[in-house]
Every structure is written in C-alpha cells, then in structure tokens.
C-alpha cells in the first residue's frame, strides 16, 4: 500500500489531513506543493482548482479535505474518528461546516495572516483586516462554545474529525495577541484547547513557522 500526500506545510487544511493520518498511524510520503506559486500540470491534473491537499492511496486520488479525512478514517485501521451516535455525528459535521464556511477566513486569513504570518515573511499586516477578522471570529467562537458546552463533540475526551478540523485553525489564531485575548472569553473552548493542544497528532504536525523566510 502506498499513501502520498501533496500538501503545503503552512496550510491548515493540509495539517488537518496530516493530523488524521497521524492519529490513524498511517505511514505517508509527503510532496510539498506551494499553491501560491506556479503549479505544475501534474498537480493541476490531481487538483483542477490548484489547491492542496491531495491524497493518493495506491491508484486512488482524492482532493477536498473533508472527503480525504473521512476516507482515511474509513479506509485504515486504528482509532475511529467518527462517532457512532447520530447526534454526535451530526455535530461533528456541523463543526466542520462552520469552520469551513465561517471560520477559516476570519480566524486564519484575516487575524492570523495579518497579525502573524505577513510580518514573518516581511510583509505588513492591515489593522483594519485584523479588526474585521476579530469581529467575524467572535460569532464563530460563540457558536462553537455552545457546541463544546453540549459536549457531544469538542468534548476533550474521545477525539473526532471535528477536533482535527478545528485545532489547526485555533493553533494559528492563538499565535496572535488579538486571538488570545478573544479566545479567553470562551471557557468551554479554552477547556477543549487545554486538552487538544497536548494531543500527539497536533504536536507531530506542527508546521514550524520559525523556519519561514521573507519572500523575495
């Protein structure tokens, strides 16, 4: 069996898939693809929209993070990351959808990118974009706080794909001062983060931002 992941180390979506592969203890070869540079024809054949990640399992190729993580959980032995209870399953799917539809832009593209990532690569962040991101993040975190309080998922007990989907974005968000200050207002998410931040699958996939160099 051959498993290969085409991914970008600083991409939260690539890290989500790496977390699931780590949790399932799947041996994987990684191919670094920077989606912000000129993409090869080979990669565009794998992913016609020019994004990452793409998983190849023998002759089977798959893109879209949610499809990949569900496939990995179903296809490989090890800890199950999808709850059997229908309500918990629905909450897991809901968290993943919230993160994709409403969370990624304010948490990562606005707050983290402009407060942390851009300065690391020698670019200026925009304070107005950060402020807009904080406002959008507040609505997202409030919705996730209620789900964490309910405790069907984001429980700090048995991990699910919801944890894998959310944790990389929160990890980036908390690297900003604005993110840390806002996140502290949500005790159930803070409790959840205290648990998930120690999970080996998250630690093993740290992208190593300290290695970033300004782009020429």
């Amino acid at each position: 069996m051959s498993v290969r992941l085409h991914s970008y180390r600083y991409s939260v979506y690539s890290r989500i898939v790496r977390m699931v592969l780590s949790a399932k203890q799947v041996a994987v070869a990684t191919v670094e693809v920077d989606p912000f540079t000129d993409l090869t024809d080979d990669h565009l054949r794998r992913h016609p929209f020019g994004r990452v990640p793409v998983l190849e399992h023998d002759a089977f190729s798959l893109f879209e993070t949610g499809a990949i993580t569900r496939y990995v959980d179903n296809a490989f032995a090890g800890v199950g990351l999808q709850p059997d209870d229908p309500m918990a399953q629905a909450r897991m799917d809901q968290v993943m959808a919230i993160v994709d539809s409403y969370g990624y832009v304010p948490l990562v593209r606005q707050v983290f990118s402009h407060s942390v990532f851009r300065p690391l690569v020698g670019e200026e962040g925009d304070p107005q974009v950060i402020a807009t991101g904080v406002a959008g993040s507040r609505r997202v975190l409030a919705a996730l706080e209620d789900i964490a309080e309910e405790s069907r998922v984001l429980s700090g007990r048995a991990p699910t794909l919801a944890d894998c989907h959310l944790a990389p974005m929160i990890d980036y968000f908390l690297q900003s001062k604005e993110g840390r200050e806002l996140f502290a207002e949500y005790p159930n998410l803070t409790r959840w983060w205290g648990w998930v931040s120690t999970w080996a699958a998250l630690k093993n996939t740290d992208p190593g931002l300290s290695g970033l160099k300004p782009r020429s």
Side-chain angles (χ1 to χ4, degrees), residues 157-204:
R157 298 190 299 271
T160 73
L161 296 181
D163 300 293
C164 298
H165 219 79
L166 178 59
M169 298 195 194
I170 296 301
D171 187 39
Y172 272 177
F173 185 67
L174 291 178
Q175 292 186 43
S176 70
K177 177 179 70 70
E178 298 85 357
R180 291 190 298 273
E181 290 175 352
L182 179 58
F183 197 79
E185 298 177 15
Y186 300 94
N188 293 301
L189 286 175
T190 297
R191 170 187 49 77
W192 165 81
W193 180 249
W195 168 78
V196 79
S197 63
T198 67
W199 191 20
L202 185 67
K203 290 185 171 183
N204 294 342

Side-chain angles (χ1 to χ4, degrees), residues 7-9 11-20 164 167-168 171-172 175 201-207:
S7 64
Y8 177 52
R9 68 179 299 174
S11 158
V12 290
Y13 284 101
S14 294
R15 190 178 185 187
I16 289 165
V17 173
R18 293 201 306 270
M19 281 186 67
V20 175
C164 298
D171 187 39
Y172 272 177
Q175 292 186 43
L202 185 67
K203 290 185 171 183
N204 294 342
T205 56
D206 188 324

Side-chain angles (χ1 to χ4, degrees), residues 19 41 56 76 92 98 104 123 125 129 132 135 143 155 157 168 172-173 179 182 208:
M19 281 186 67
D41 290 340
E56 294 177 320
F76 295 94
M92 181 194 79
I98 289 170
Y104 173 67
E123 300 175 2
V129 174
T132 299
S155 64
R157 298 190 299 271
Y172 272 177
F173 185 67
L182 179 58

Side-chain angles (χ1 to χ4, degrees), residues 25-47:
Q25 299 185 349
V26 176
V28 58
T30 58
V31 179
E32 184 73 4
V33 177
D34 185 344
F36 301 103
T37 63
D38 291 335
L39 294 169
T40 65
D41 290 340
D42 280 347
H43 187 73
L44 290 172
R45 279 190 286 271
R46 295 184 195 97
H47 198 313

Side-chain angles (χ1 to χ4, degrees), residues 8-132:
Y8 177 52
R9 68 179 299 174
Y10 302 117
S11 158
V12 290
Y13 284 101
S14 294
R15 190 178 185 187
I16 289 165
V17 173
R18 293 201 306 270
M19 281 186 67
V20 175
L21 289 164
S22 176
K24 302 290 286 190
Q25 299 185 349
V26 176
V28 58
T30 58
V31 179
E32 184 73 4
V33 177
D34 185 344
F36 301 103
T37 63
D38 291 335
L39 294 169
T40 65
D41 290 340
D42 280 347
H43 187 73
L44 290 172
R45 279 190 286 271
R46 295 184 195 97
H47 198 313
F49 304 100
R51 301 288 184 87
V52 289
V54 179
L55 183 81
E56 294 177 320
H57 182 198
D58 295 334
F60 181 62
S61 181
L62 185 65
F63 64 88
E64 289 304 306
T65 300
I68 294 171
T69 58
R70 288 178 175 89
Y71 173 75
V72 169
D73 190 43
N74 292 330
F76 295 94
V79 59
L81 296 173
Q82 298 177 81
D84 294 326
D85 174 67
M87 292 183 181
Q89 176 84 44
R91 284 288 188 242
M92 181 194 79
D93 291 342
Q94 184 182 33
V95 168
M96 295 166 71
I98 289 170
V99 170
D100 288 344
S101 299
Y102 314 111
Y104 173 67
V105 169
L107 293 168
V108 178
R109 293 297 297 271
Q110 293 177 329
V111 174
F112 166 75
S113 179
H114 283 262
S115 181
V116 179
F117 191 87
R118 286 189 173 214
L120 281 175
V121 298
E123 300 175 2
E124 289 188 8
D126 186 332
Q128 184 56 53
V129 174
I130 295 171
T132 299

